[in-house]
Amino acid sequence: MKHTTPLLIKFIMTTAVLWIVLGLFFGVTFGDILTTSVVLTVLAYLGDLYIMPRIGNTVATIGDFALAWVVIWLIGSNMYGEPIPLGTAALISAIAIAAGEIFYHRYLKNSVFENEKDRESKIAYFPNRFQTEFSTEIEENDGVPPKKD
């Protein structure tokens, strides 16, 4: 139940953007828009759950932009019946979806990833924990350490 509401919000947001951009401006059928929206929602939501806590909102939004552009382009080139300027349609849709993802990621951070310690423990790439090592140098005199005076 914890993932139902965020998944539904993402699906509605994606469907609305695709319907406005692809349906109204480029004449794509609503069935094709729903298919594209389902595929894009599932792939992007899985990425949001597993990647966003590790890399942050900005990089996840850029990843969602790239994913949306590629998915819309691939599905559009195989499914959409009418010839449309697919590169332009995919780019405009991806920009609009990425703009919505900025706010959606904030919602996910506050509702799905509710415990701050859990979020910090999941961070694998930028842990902000540094360690320094110290050692002495050995001169290269046949493996003999330097003499102390």
Side-chain angles (χ1 to χ4, degrees):
M1 191 67 187
K2 179 173 151 180
H3 297 286
T4 305
T5 303
L7 191 59
L8 188 62
I9 289 171
K10 187 172 193 76
F11 176 72
I12 290 170
M13 179 188 70
T14 305
T15 304
V17 167
L18 292 180
W19 180 70
I20 290 169
V21 175
L22 296 177
L24 296 180
F25 293 122
F26 294 103
V28 176
T29 64
F30 192 69
D32 291 341
I33 290 171
L34 277 178
T35 303
T36 306
S37 184
V38 167
V39 170
L40 186 58
T41 299
V42 169
L43 290 176
Y45 189 70
L46 290 174
D48 287 342
L49 286 181
Y50 296 108
I51 295 173
M52 193 193 74
R54 290 175 171 78
I55 61 175
N57 190 2
T58 304
V59 180
T61 301
I62 293 169
D64 281 332
F65 167 78
L67 178 70
W69 195 1
V70 168
V71 167
I72 293 167
W73 188 301
L74 288 175
I75 290 177
S77 65
N78 292 317
M79 282 186 58
Y80 302 161
E82 300 177 17
I84 62 171
L86 196 54
T88 305
L91 179 65
I92 294 170
S93 299
I95 290 171
I97 288 171
E101 290 290 332
I102 294 170
F103 302 104
Y104 179 74
H105 289 162
R106 289 182 189 161
Y107 166 75
L108 274 183
K109 189 175 185 180
N110 293 330
S111 66
V112 176
F113 308 120
E114 54 211 21
N115 190 354
E116 187 70 29
K117 286 198 167 203
D118 288 342
R119 273 188 273 161
E120 288 180 5
S121 68
K122 290 180 184 178
I123 297 175
Y125 298 105
F126 305 108
N128 294 331
R129 295 182 190 108
F130 302 105
Q131 180 177 349
T132 305
E133 294 182 11
F134 295 96
S135 68
T136 59
E137 297 294 326
I138 298 176
E139 292 182 15
E140 293 193 23
N141 295 333
D142 297 325
V144 178
K147 295 180 182 179
K148 295 183 182 180
D149 292 328

